Amino acid sequence: MSQQGYVAAPPLSQAQPGIGGYPASFGVPPSQPHYAHYGGTPQSAASPPPGACCDYHSCSPCSQNRIDHHAARGRGTCWPCWEAGKVFSRNNVSAFIRSCSSEQIKSIMLKNFYEISINECRLKKASFSPGHGPLHGPQSPTSSVPQPTSQVLPPTSGRPLMPQAPQMAPPPSASGQPFMPQSPQMAPPPIGASSAMGTTAAAAAMGVPGSFSGLPHPPGGYQVRPGFPGAFPAGAAQMAGPPQKKLDPDSIPSTTQVIEDDQTKRGGQVYATNLRGQVPPLVTTDFVVQDQGNASPRFIRCTTYCFPCTADLAKQCQVPLAAVIKPFAAVPKNESDKYYINHELKYSYFEIFQMLPYEQYLHIFLQSAGPIRCNRCKAYMCPFMHFIDGGRRYQCGFCSCVNEVPAFYFQHLDHMGRRVDAYQRPELSLGSYEFVATLEYCKNKKPPNPPAFIFMIDVSYPNIKSGLVRLLCAELKSLLERLPREEGAGSSAVRVGFVTYNKILHFYNVKSTLAQPQMMVVSDVAEMFVPLLDGFLVNFQESRSVINNLLEQIPDMFTDTGESETVFAPVVQAGMEALKAADSSGKLFIFHSSIPTAEAPGKLKNRDDRKLINTEKEKTLFQPAKGVYEDLSKECVSNGCCVDLFLFPGQYIDVATMGSVAMHTGGSVYKYSNFQAQVDGDNFLRDIRKEVEKPVGFDATMRVRTSTGFRATDFFGAIYMSNTTDVEMAAVDCHKAVTVEFKHDDKLSDDAGALVQCALLYTSVGGQRRLRIHNLSLSCSSQLADLYKSCETDALVNFFAKSAYRAMVNQPLKAVREVLVHQTAHMLACYRKNCASPSAVSQLILPDAMKVLPVYMNSLMKSAALVGSADLSTDDRALQRLLVTGMGVEETQALFYPRLIPLHNLDVGSKAVPLAVRCSEERLSEGGVFLLENGLQMFLWLGQACPPEFIQSIFNVPSFAHLGADMTSIPELDNTLSKKLRSVIDHINQQRSHAMKLVVVKQKDRSEAPFRQHLVEDKGLHGGASYMDFLCYVHREIRQLLT
Ligand SMILES: [Zn+2]
């Protein structure tokens, strides 16, 4: 398409008030460079012509060529059945091994070296039954996996049919309904408009005349269809007009509907990863993954599964090309058990591992050659390597280099040109697998020590008074019994250590031979050192009695403390030095109460200046303090020291700075404001238990390789980068995701596709160095329609959130928000121009795969971090910013479109969580009860006219009026409704990485504001447009771009 009329940032001719009360105008070009500028130079755009109204379409591009691509490609789509029946039992392998000489074992080892570590990561090969799962012969993705069907309106009379009509389906729901939101003169809602304005105001602002009933009032032959709820005639009276009616919000695309539709269409199904460029089910859909050569979407999701062939096309559409990689994602039980079989070689490997002393095993394994890698680009052996020359050589799928196959790795090829052992080797048939790393991959070429956990407890006055220290010490006694262990291992290899501190540090010697723990005090916090090595990090099993003794004593030791000052950086320093001295990677669990004001390195002062909000300097509130903390983070990462931070502040604590250490080291941050053990204790305990027990890898380095033509250019996550390619993480757990942006450096071919290989080197909880590989193949196309069809909105939102949250420390928030609006408009305008069928310019046409992108983008702009309101706590905003940085697609989806679940009609017989409704005040009812959750917070909203029986069953009080304010829990009552409600809440809490404190909200109570802030389709409480208004605004931008 021509660049003309399609520009990156169209400044309007005059300044206008910003959307929904933002002080900034969206129309004014940002004064700072864009943080995420995918397009050409901003140019002016002409004002749109006045006139026609618009229509909403959700449609898929007319593409008929994907089937041909795959059919032509052929190879890689034929998957024969798994070779069954060759499973060694544990016993016969043991006997066999015992009969071998060490030379024989070595030879077996070398042969079977590339084995998957099944027990550890459950990345096991799927079991295929004949005729099921695997495909026989080339197939198109559309024929094997249900693709999102086109949701295009039935053509209206008076308008031409769309070319793709034969592929169209009538809209199954309201989401496919047309929408005519805007007349071109509509200005963004004025600043300070009340939140009650809602859609009525939107309609008013648009000059909508009275008739919404579908009366035709067609300018230029346009007809409003019967049953079209929100329709209003175009070209009618503008700002002034007859009395307005409400625009029906059902007429704009609904996230809950999209989620439901995908669940209906793809829920409960097996998603086999055998095809290139497949779009997986939504992150909210329940499905089962079968690894057939590409990594599961639980590990990698992409913004689009079809990359444009050229940089020009990418620039033109401005759709970011990115992958969200969660290398340690938890895999559901039904994927690890039911759909996977054990395999002959795996048994032999594990049996060998278990039978030989570890040193001997290491000796044999680590002396041998490392995994097979391409000589040129260093990609690891994977299903994308193509064997040639009778199996003696292979061509690298990433760089096309032809490599020799080492003699010990040689295998014959079958008549299809496939290695005959392809299905016995995970690296040849799976998308994800794991190697045991050789010494080459270990620090100083030495096998690593098992990791250690150090618990560092702030025992200053606030933590004693709140009951935290006592609660924590009591919990640790049982928690330490459940330290993570290597699967199959009898006990945990993780060693533990203990420090307490206020403005000085106390180290504890808990050596098993001691009768009593010993305390060693370090008061010189400027020169931190670890006063004891022997007896500080111990095995819990061996030192249990000394440790339990210590945990009993700690609360009493400090019970009368008057010390309220704390240090922080020296605490991290001490923990890191202790790990370094023990030559271990590990985690520091720090339980901290207040801003560290005591004289010491890293001393902080209160810089929470709300006057900076909405000024150029607002960004400084989110910038971590420079100097000490930067260096500390860097040093922690290089020593494999991850920092988990549990904060218990009574006031400002500078999360931006303190949290930055956690963020750069792959750690987590939890914040419990005004913590009281009785009220917040349960949540805190749930968090600490999850944090200690969750799957995690230590001292990790991740590298993302790509095939020729594009490369990874930017990385977002709880990571540290000391160069441009290696992603360093002191630890990476099952919730942490790294978002990787790709850029073209050459052309891509639709034949070869675009390949991504993510290699994660890490130390396991048992102290084994491992290499986890995830592979993904994407399609490429020179048709933008293919790209749009393969987009994933949830992944796009993850990318935009992370890039905007990163940008906000360098740019005014206003500029950051503007980029989000402009880019939304650009992506949609480009679709409209290049992919959609010709239609009236007044129509808003959204690609099917992106039809709810605007609601998410608007929600992101209104999110606490970006909204610029003095009513919000700076620490909370900084915290959200840090948390999002490490989030995966699942987490950002929930955060930016919270679930609003009606509970007043609970089916107590059903186990399912009720379906969510649209996240808007419109959906609330006085007689209703709703649960709202976004992964970080949870509210139970009670309507004023909520039935007394419901209140009685849940709260054990006679009516709404009897309910107290500020309730944060519901009592455990012995009736079915109460049980069901609590099980719903528990179920949701289990799905999320953070324990969510339940806040009970009474309608019209003062506590309602924090709840309403999350109704993301409504106008923001602290600024920000309603979904409807935003859509209108974006539509106007699109029209300008297309002019
Ligand atoms: Zn290569």
Side-chain angles (χ1 to χ4, degrees):
M1 87 175 203
S2 90
Q3 284 291 336
Q4 199 193 354
Y6 181 55
V7 293
L12 303 180
S13 48
Q14 71 253 5
Q16 299 187 22
I19 281 190
Y22 283 135
S25 157
F26 284 114
V28 177
S31 49
Q32 299 276 326
H34 285 170
Y35 63 90
H37 191 223
Y38 304 99
T41 325
Q43 298 165 30
S44 277
S47 296
C53 91
C54 58
D55 193 359
Y56 155 70
H57 269 197
S58 153
C59 89
S60 286
C62 40
S63 158
Q64 56 290 331
N65 49 16
R66 281 169 59 90
I67 292 171
D68 303 341
H69 291 171
H70 286 271
R73 211 173 291 122
R75 92 185 147 85
T77 55
C78 177
W79 287 74
C81 300
W82 188 271
E83 198 179 343
K86 280 197 180 176
V87 178
F88 276 108
S89 76
R90 185 170 281 257
N91 289 338
N92 63 24
V93 172
S94 305
F96 168 70
I97 295 298
R98 270 185 224 107
S99 68
C100 291
S101 70
S102 66
E103 275 307 300
Q104 282 170 317
I105 291 176
K106 188 169 175 178
S107 125
I108 296 166
M109 292 290 191
L110 285 174
K111 254 186 161 172
N112 297 345
F113 181 71
Y114 302 92
E115 250 324 308
I116 180 168
S117 162
I118 45 162
N119 287 342
E120 176 56 26
C121 61
R122 300 179 180 283
L123 306 178
K124 296 177 231 172
K125 183 64 190 180
S127 145
F128 308 139
S129 60
H132 168 72
L135 301 173
H136 300 276
Q139 290 197 17
S140 75
T142 43
S143 63
S144 67
V145 175
Q147 292 283 320
T149 56
S150 313
Q151 290 189 352
V152 183
L153 282 178
T156 320
S157 60
R159 277 194 297 147
L161 276 176
M162 293 190 172
Q164 69 269 43
Q167 296 171 356
M168 286 181 213
S173 67
S175 66
Q177 295 261 342
F179 165 56
M180 314 203 307
Q182 177 199 24
S183 66
Q185 277 72 22
M186 177 219 147
I191 298 173
S194 84
S195 67
M197 181 178 167
T199 53
T200 319
M206 288 182 276
V208 178
S211 167
F212 283 89
S213 57
L215 293 178
H217 186 118
Y222 185 84
Q223 270 195 322
V224 180
R225 277 134 288 179
F228 175 9
F232 52 89
Q238 300 303 334
M239 297 311 284
Q244 282 94 33
K245 283 189 187 170
K246 271 195 168 180
L247 207 53
D248 186 347
D250 279 338
S251 62
I252 54 176
S254 157
T255 299
T256 50
Q257 192 63 53
V258 167
I259 289 171
E260 270 177 52
D261 290 347
D262 198 66
Q263 176 63 36
T264 307
K265 205 184 301 168
R266 306 182 78 175
Q269 294 182 9
V270 174
Y271 176 75
T273 66
N274 55 345
L275 294 171
R276 188 162 85 186
Q278 273 187 112
V279 182
L282 292 182
V283 78
T284 43
T285 297
D286 288 321
F287 61 102
V288 177
V289 183
Q290 203 176 61
D291 185 338
Q292 292 191 13
N294 282 291
S296 157
R298 306 198 195 285
F299 297 120
I300 309 183
R301 283 183 174 268
C302 295
T303 52
T304 176
Y305 296 84
C306 178
F307 278 14
C309 281
T310 64
D312 278 352
L313 276 176
K315 196 171 165 184
Q316 194 180 331
C317 67
Q318 301 205 10
V319 174
L321 307 176
V324 186
I325 305 174
K326 207 186 239 187
F328 255 81
V331 174
K333 282 204 172 71
N334 57 350
E335 279 168 29
S336 51
D337 298 329
K338 193 173 169 191
Y339 287 90
Y340 293 80
I341 59 161
N342 287 319
H343 188 264
E344 162 197 350
L345 292 173
K346 290 169 191 164
Y347 267 110
S348 64
Y349 167 83
F350 269 94
E351 291 298 334
I352 292 165
F353 173 66
Q354 282 166 3
M355 258 168 320
L356 297 179
Y358 187 61
E359 293 71 30
Q360 201 177 338
Y361 158 85
L362 277 176
H363 179 75
I364 293 171
F365 267 65
L366 303 181
Q367 296 301 310
S368 63
I372 307 277
R373 302 176 71 171
C374 170
N375 287 330
R376 188 196 285 163
C377 72
K378 302 294 174 197
Y380 293 90
M381 180 52 67
C382 68
F384 310 145
M385 302 301 188
H386 184 51
F387 287 86
I388 52 175
D389 199 10
R392 284 183 290 277
R393 299 192 299 163
Y394 69 93
Q395 185 169 31
C396 173
F398 295 87
C399 71
S400 304
C401 174
V402 173
N403 295 274
E404 298 289 327
V405 173
F408 72 87
Y409 197 68
F410 173 79
Q411 189 53 267
H412 293 287
L413 307 184
D414 67 13
H415 66 285
M416 300 280 290
R418 230 179 356 229
R419 280 174 64 118
V420 297
D421 63 349
Y423 295 99
Q424 284 145 24
R425 290 191 176 273
E427 77 276 17
L428 298 179
S429 51
L430 290 183
S432 301
Y433 44 88
E434 208 163 64
F435 297 116
V436 173
T438 57
L439 281 180
E440 289 283 306
Y441 297 88
C442 301
K443 251 180 205 164
N444 307 322
K445 303 211 170 175
K446 255 173 46 193
N449 287 316
F453 286 175
I454 305 180
F455 296 89
M456 315 185 86
I457 309 169
D458 166 1
V459 289
S460 66
Y461 176 73
N463 271 355
I464 297 291
K465 181 172 164 261
S466 69
L468 171 78
V469 173
R470 195 167 291 279
L471 181 74
L472 174 61
C473 289
E475 175 65 19
L476 280 178
K477 280 189 261 176
S478 58
L479 190 55
L480 292 173
E481 302 281 356
R482 304 195 300 274
L483 289 170
R485 60 179 80 165
E486 208 85 88
E487 198 161 314
S491 62
S492 174
V494 174
R495 287 167 300 158
V496 292
F498 303 87
V499 171
T500 55
Y501 67 95
N502 36 50
K503 62 183 190 182
I504 55 172
L505 278 74
H506 327 107
F507 293 78
Y508 295 93
N509 184 343
V510 283
K511 204 172 173 177
S512 59
T513 50
L514 294 175
Q516 283 279 324
Q518 294 170 347
M519 179 202 270
M520 294 186 191
V521 178
V522 175
S523 50
D524 181 7
V525 289
E527 299 278 332
M528 188 41 64
F529 68 99
V530 182
L532 76 163
L533 294 177
D534 187 31
F536 178 64
L537 290 179
V538 297
N539 178 300
F540 175 71
Q541 305 298 329
E542 289 164 10
S543 292
R544 183 187 281 112
S545 67
V546 193
I547 290 174
N548 285 344
N549 189 331
L550 171 70
L551 293 171
E552 265 158 38
Q553 289 186 42
I554 287 175
D556 295 334
M557 272 193 277
F558 300 97
T559 193
D560 297 322
T561 187
E563 186 55 70
S564 58
E565 275 197 317
T566 56
V567 294
F568 179 67
V571 178
V572 178
Q573 180 87 28
M576 192 258 302
E577 296 288 350
L579 291 177
K580 196 169 156 185
D583 200 10
S584 284
S585 53
K587 261 190 182 210
L588 311 181
F589 294 84
I590 303 183
F591 307 90
H592 191 88
S593 68
S594 58
I595 188 163
T597 51
E599 209 48 59
K603 173 182 172 179
L604 296 174
K605 58 178 192 294
N606 188 329
R607 56 193 184 99
D608 182 18
D609 183 358
R610 303 276 174 100
K611 286 198 295 296
L612 299 181
I613 288 169
N614 285 319
T615 71
E616 287 277 315
K617 287 189 174 164
E618 182 172 5
K619 61 191 178 196
T620 59
L621 295 174
F622 307 106
Q623 292 166 350
K626 298 237 179 317
V628 172
Y629 289 94
E630 270 175 311
D631 298 344
L632 195 56
S633 301
K634 191 175 170 184
E635 217 178 332
C636 281
V637 172
S638 66
N639 287 292
C641 170
C642 166
V643 178
D644 275 336
L645 202 50
F646 294 79
L647 298 172
F648 306 88
Q651 50 194 321
Y652 178 77
I653 193 172
D654 198 351
V655 169
T657 298
M658 297 182 67
S660 70
V661 181
M663 194 190 88
H664 285 301
T665 58
S668 305
V669 185
Y670 300 88
K671 176 167 165 281
Y672 313 85
S673 299
N674 303 311
F675 179 86
Q676 291 173 276
Q678 302 84 351
V679 180
D680 308 289
D682 286 348
N683 274 323
F684 163 65
L685 293 179
R686 277 205 294 264
D687 282 334
I688 174 84
R689 285 172 198 150
K690 270 191 190 172
E691 194 57 58
V692 167
E693 294 174 32
K694 70 188 177 187
V696 58
F698 295 89
D699 201 10
T701 304
M702 187 174 100
R703 185 76 176 259
V704 178
R705 290 185 173 78
T706 53
S707 53
T708 316
F710 74 115
R711 66 198 161 84
T713 53
D714 214 346
F715 301 84
F716 306 83
I719 56 174
Y720 187 85
M721 305 272 301
S722 52
N723 59 46
T724 54
T725 52
D726 293 321
V727 180
E728 293 177 55
M729 293 169 280
V732 52
D733 66 50
C734 60
H735 295 117
K736 297 288 186 306
V738 181
T739 301
V740 184
E741 189 183 10
F742 302 106
K743 290 258 161 69
H744 286 76
D745 49 16
D746 202 348
K747 277 189 178 156
L748 296 171
S749 84
D750 48 7
D751 240 15
L755 309 178
V756 177
Q757 183 177 73
C758 160
L760 181 86
L761 181 65
Y762 73 96
T763 301
S764 72
V765 286
Q768 194 178 56
R769 201 69 177 151
R770 293 186 185 155
L771 198 49
R772 182 175 282 209
I773 313 285
H774 296 297
N775 301 292
L776 187 66
S777 59
L778 305 168
S779 303
C780 293
S781 174
S782 47
Q783 304 296 320
L784 281 177
D786 291 337
L787 174 146
Y788 279 100
K789 199 166 65 177
S790 303
C791 277
E792 183 177 323
T793 290
D794 296 332
L796 281 166
V797 172
N798 180 281
F799 173 84
F800 283 119
K802 290 189 183 187
S803 59
Y805 281 13
R806 179 196 282 178
M808 62 183 274
V809 293
N810 298 316
Q811 292 179 36
L813 268 56
K814 176 185 142 208
V816 174
R817 292 193 300 256
E818 279 169 358
V819 171
L820 292 173
V821 178
H822 290 313
Q823 199 158 357
T824 306
H826 270 275
M827 293 189 294
L828 299 176
C830 180
Y831 173 82
R832 170 67 184 263
K833 183 154 188 171
N834 295 278
C835 311
S837 54
S839 54
V841 71
S842 58
Q843 281 187 317
L844 172 59
I845 296 186
L846 303 173
D848 194 59
M850 278 191 195
K851 67 182 171 193
V852 291
L853 183 71
V855 73
Y856 281 104
M857 294 297 264
N858 187 38
S859 171
L860 167 60
M861 290 197 299
K862 296 190 284 187
S863 63
L866 279 180
V867 80
S869 163
D871 296 339
L872 296 167
S873 128
T874 304
D875 274 340
D876 285 347
R877 298 174 67 195
L879 180 65
Q880 187 179 49
R881 185 180 163 265
L882 293 178
L883 293 178
V884 164
T885 302
M887 280 185 181
V889 178
E890 202 177 344
E891 290 85 5
T892 46
Q893 188 279 325
L895 183 64
F896 295 111
Y897 200 93
R899 270 198 288 185
L900 182 63
I901 303 169
L903 294 178
H904 39 276
N905 297 323
L906 262 187
D907 175 3
V908 292
S910 157
K911 284 194 171 171
V913 174
L915 289 176
V917 296
R918 295 179 76 144
C919 206
S920 162
E921 185 185 347
E922 299 258 337
R923 310 291 151 166
L924 302 175
S925 58
E926 289 213 333
V929 177
F930 292 83
L931 190 75
L932 183 143
E933 68 94 12
N934 67 359
L936 298 176
Q937 287 154 299
M938 186 186 270
F939 300 89
L940 184 66
W941 183 90
L942 305 167
Q944 276 179 320
C946 174
E949 311 81 68
F950 190 96
I951 301 281
Q952 181 69 48
S953 304
I954 301 301
F955 297 99
N956 207 19
V957 296
S959 77
F960 184 84
H962 289 78
L963 286 168
D966 302 327
M967 291 174 58
T968 56
S969 62
I970 51 177
E972 291 189 18
L973 301 177
D974 189 18
N975 65 67
T976 48
L977 187 62
S978 171
K979 283 180 189 161
K980 170 69 187 172
L981 190 108
R982 282 182 284 119
S983 90
V984 167
I985 291 172
D986 284 348
H987 180 80
I988 292 170
N989 250 323
Q990 275 165 18
Q991 290 179 322
R992 304 300 187 197
S993 60
H994 279 61
M996 292 177 280
K997 175 175 169 179
L998 182 75
V999 178
V1000 179
V1001 177
K1002 292 169 72 178
Q1003 187 182 11
K1004 303 233 165 101
D1005 201 52
R1006 63 181 167 78
S1007 61
E1008 227 188 347
F1011 162 78
R1012 285 187 181 260
Q1013 192 182 327
H1014 297 286
L1015 298 174
V1016 297
E1017 291 204 8
D1018 300 342
K1019 193 169 154 53
L1021 276 192
H1022 305 286
S1026 72
Y1027 176 26
M1028 182 77 81
D1029 291 353
F1030 180 72
L1031 205 53
C1032 292
Y1033 190 84
V1034 166
H1035 188 197
R1036 194 175 74 153
E1037 292 265 304
I1038 293 170
R1039 293 175 58 158
Q1040 287 186 342
L1041 293 169
L1042 293 174
T1043 309

